[in-house]
Each structure stands twice: as structure tokens, then as C-alpha cells.
Amino acid sequence: MPKNVTASTPTAAAPPRSLWLLGPALVAGVAYLDPGNVASNMTAGAQYGYLLVWVVVAGNVMAWLIQYLSAKLGVVTGQSLPEVLGTRLRRPWARRAYWLQAELVAMATDLAEIIGGAVALNLLFDIPLLLGGLLTGAVSMVLLTVQSRRGARPFEFVIIGLMVIITVGFLAGLFLAPPDPAGVVGGLVPRFEGTGSVLLAASILGATIMPHAIYAHSSLARDRFGSADGLPHEEQARVETSRIRRLLTATRWDVSVAMVIAGSVNLGILLLAAANLAGVEGTDSLEGAHAALAAGLGPVVATFFAVGLLASGLASTSVGAYAGAEIMHGLLRVRIPLLARRLVTLIPALAILGAGIDPTLALVLSQVVLSFGIPFALLPLVVLTAQRRTLGAWTNTRLTTAAGIVASVLLIALNGALLWLVLTGS
């Protein structure tokens, strides 16, 4: 049976134990812990204290739904979101135009992650930014070699290991200087204080829910669970329903675990800054935040922060390159080696570092580009998973579709606000 965009394409025959099914969401979840998130959450906590706690929590809830829909598409159809769109967009010019915006988003994502890794190496070892960017890119190539030669599972183990380092690095300071519980509870009440807080709220959401994570998760689910095309047709029909049900149950747990980790780390970064860096000048940059942590909490906490930032850059840039390769394959129907793909998106980041452009400014501009790409990933995902011809019996319920529409409208509106405030300098 050919692999196309229908619900009749099953996933892997005889799935293993449920615990062994976890992993794809943890890899995709690294996108929620990239240097852009660190910068946005640290700045929000330092400038507005606990005010935007509710934004981090709300963003994490929306991220759960979006990542589950992405994984569900990959599990049920056996295809990634770019592959499905590549099939539905029949005109070559439409596929190329869609690929172009997705490619720009992938490059912007890589820019933020390479810069984050370069800044971390500079903070830890005083390595120049350009050399740090080269080293970050080189290590990410090693990680991608694991994925291309050893398969999905070993790659997941490596990325999950880096996620552990990220978690420890960013949350270590909370044990020395915990936040005020009353302030945390108060921060759960939705409100703003001026356009600056709106800008930061949009930045937090823009750095949290990113297009490449949506593209990547469907692909990771597909790669992990494969298809059952090699089975006899009768066997496929017999096992399909129970297999997909079990895979989707495991996927919900996988996404839940990943989002709890990512949400806790993002919230922890904001709380660390709110409790210890409130009103401190210069915390709107990664270097300034590191210096403020060193001055306020000591060099050990600052070193943990820099190590977490380095792991964040390495892990997220590897997943970003994986997503970029899948975007190209699905939309242009061209597959190039992951390492060659790594070089393509590495060049713009190195050029910016070599030109001496302020890393913080480059991070802000990368978030602006990401804002353009959000609607092109979110809207097709919600529409496709609500279509019976795409997911068959596994199509979204009306409530799920309504929640997806609300989340999409809110995210697109806030990203639009981010674009407006940045472009107008308000």
C-alpha cells in the first residue's frame, strides 16, 4: 500500500513497551529551551519581576496542544507536515514559495542557536564569537552524524542528555535563591504593564512556540515509528486501530513529560531573574545576565548558567538542522545529507558573528523572522488534523479543533504585535 496522506497508513508493527515509545517529544521539546527562550525569559524576569509568569504558563499549555497535533499527524499518516503539504500543494511554484519562507525561518532559528552556543563558549573559555560559532556548528555536525548513521533512538538519547544538562544549568540558582511564593502566585493573573511588557510577552511566546519544532515533531514521530507497509494487507487492517491508539496514548505522555520539563525550565529562568536580578542593568543580553548572576549569586551559579546555555545551543541547533532537512525534503522533494544541510544554515550565522554584529540584536531580529513563519506552520497543522480525509477516524474532535484555532489566533496576534512593536520602535 503506498504511503500517502491518508489515515490508512499505519505506523510501526508491534510497538514495544510504552516507556520505549517516549522520546520524539523530548527531542522536539529542546526547541523550547533554545537561547532565544533564555534571553526572553531572563529579560522578562529582570525587568518586570513576576508579572509575566502567566505568559510562560499559557505558552506551555498551547505548546502541549500544538506539539501533540504535530506528533499525531506523523503517527497516523506516516508522513511529516512538510511531506503532507508537499503532496497537497500541487503547483511547483506554491511548494517553492512555501519552502522559501520555511527555509528563512530555519535559518533564523539556527542563527539564534549558533549565537547562543558562541556566547556560552565566550563566557566559559573567552573564545572569540566567530570561533565559538564554528565550534558550535562542528559539534552539532557530530550530533547529526549520530542521527544519520545510528538512527532515531541514539540521537534521542544524546539530545535528552543535553536536556538534562540544560535543566540543571538553568535551575541550579533557584536552590540558592528561591523565588517569593506570593509573587509567583500573583504572576499567574493575566495582565500587562505598558507596551514593554507586551513586547516581552510576545517575545516569550515567539521564542517558545517556533515553526521548526512543529515541522520537526511530525518527522521525528514518523522516523521513530515508521510504517507497516511490509505486512500483508489483512494484517495491516487488523493491527492498525490498536497500534495507533497505543502510539497516540504514549505520544500524549511523551508530550506531557517534554512540556513539563521545558515549561519548568523556562519558568525557572524567569523566576531566577525576578528573584535576583530585578532592576539590574544589562540583563537584556546573555552576557549581561551572566555577569549579573556572577555578581549576585556567585561564579558557580554563573558557570552553571553558561554550561546550560552551551548545551541549549548545541541541542537546539542540531534539532533545527534536522527540521530544515525535512522541510527541504518534504516540500522540494529533494533530500540532501544532514551534514551538507548543516553547512547551508551555518553560513549566515557565521557571517553575522564575523561581521561583529551585536549578538543580542541578532537574537531579536531572529525572533522577528520566526514571527513571520508561525502562521504558515500553525494554520495548516490545525486544518489538516481536523480533516477526515487526512486522519480518518483519528481526526480532531470539535473541542480540540476549537482549542487549536484559539491558540493559533492568540499566537498569531501576539507575534503580529511583536513585529509591530519592533518595526515601529514603540
Side-chain angles (χ1 to χ4, degrees), residues 215-234:
Y215 297 127
H217 202 167
S218 59
S219 177
L220 289 163
R222 176 208 62 197
D223 288 352
R224 176 72 118 78
F225 303 127
S227 68
D229 288 344
L231 293 175
H233 182 74
E234 297 78 8

Side-chain angles (χ1 to χ4, degrees), residues 41-409:
N41 291 311
M42 187 69 72
T43 302
Q47 292 188 5
Y48 291 96
Y50 302 101
L51 178 71
L52 300 179
V53 166
W54 68 273
V55 177
V56 178
V57 175
N60 210 56
V61 172
M62 289 188 284
W64 186 98
L65 175 62
I66 291 164
Q67 292 307 132
Y68 173 68
L69 293 181
S70 176
K72 178 181 175 182
L73 182 70
V75 167
V76 177
T77 67
Q79 291 188 308
S80 67
L81 178 58
E83 285 178 318
V84 175
L85 291 172
T87 302
R88 296 291 178 88
L89 298 173
R90 299 188 181 278
R91 296 183 181 275
W93 66 265
R95 287 200 307 273
R96 293 185 189 117
Y98 194 97
W99 165 79
L100 181 60
Q101 64 80 26
E103 186 69 28
L104 291 174
V105 166
M107 288 186 176
T109 301
D110 212 35
L111 172 64
E113 293 155 355
I114 291 293
I115 287 176
V119 169
L121 288 171
N122 179 262
L123 295 174
L124 287 168
F125 307 110
D126 201 27
I127 295 174
L129 289 177
L130 179 58
L131 179 57
L134 283 168
L135 291 174
T136 302
V139 174
S140 70
M141 287 184 183
V142 174
L143 299 182
L144 289 170
T145 300
V146 172
Q147 199 280 338
S148 60
R149 295 187 179 180
R150 303 294 298 275
R153 195 59 177 169
F155 182 64
E156 288 174 8
F157 282 137
V158 173
I159 298 300
I160 291 170
L162 288 172
M163 181 179 276
V164 172
I165 296 174
I166 293 168
T167 303
V168 174
F170 289 148
L171 298 186
L174 287 177
F175 293 96
L176 293 179
D180 174 30
V184 176
V185 173
L188 293 173
V189 180
R191 65 193 191 281
F192 295 107
E193 291 181 2
T195 58
S197 63
V198 177
L199 175 62
L200 273 173
S203 297
I204 290 171
L205 290 177
T208 299
I209 301 173
M210 300 200 296
H212 81 284
I214 300 172
Y215 297 127
H217 202 167
S218 59
S219 177
L220 289 163
R222 176 208 62 197
D223 288 352
R224 176 72 118 78
F225 303 127
S227 68
D229 288 344
L231 293 175
H233 182 74
E234 297 78 8
E235 182 70 5
Q236 289 184 22
R238 186 178 66 82
V239 302
E240 179 181 15
T241 299
S242 61
R243 281 178 36 254
I244 292 181
R245 181 181 292 114
R246 184 180 179 193
L247 290 173
L248 291 180
T249 299
T251 295
R252 284 190 286 271
W253 280 103
D254 192 23
V255 175
S256 297
V257 171
M259 291 301 100
V260 166
I261 294 173
S264 298
V265 173
N266 282 317
L267 184 59
I269 293 170
L270 188 149
L271 296 179
L272 179 67
N276 302 282
L277 306 180
V280 178
E281 296 293 329
T283 52
D284 56 348
S285 69
L286 294 173
E287 300 94 333
H290 176 267
L293 286 173
L297 297 178
V300 174
V301 171
T303 299
F304 269 99
F305 174 82
V307 170
L309 181 62
L310 178 59
S312 167
L314 292 174
S316 54
T317 193
S318 301
V319 176
Y322 172 90
E326 183 57 36
I327 290 168
M328 180 175 287
H329 168 66
L331 293 168
L332 298 186
R333 298 169 185 174
V334 173
R335 187 178 291 280
I336 63 174
L338 270 176
L339 298 184
R341 169 73 202 190
R342 164 77 282 177
L343 290 173
V344 170
T345 52
L346 183 61
I347 292 172
L350 294 179
I352 288 176
L353 289 173
I357 296 174
D358 178 38
T360 300
L361 175 61
L363 279 174
V364 171
L365 293 178
S366 72
Q367 299 309 306
V368 172
V369 176
L370 290 176
S371 298
F372 280 109
I374 282 287
F376 295 99
L378 269 181
L379 296 179
L381 177 68
V382 174
V383 170
L384 288 169
T385 53
Q387 290 179 341
R388 184 162 292 275
R389 70 177 177 129
T390 303
L391 295 188
W394 308 103
T395 189
N396 295 340
T397 64
R398 291 182 179 180
L399 180 60
T400 301
T401 299
I405 292 172
V406 170
S408 299
V409 169

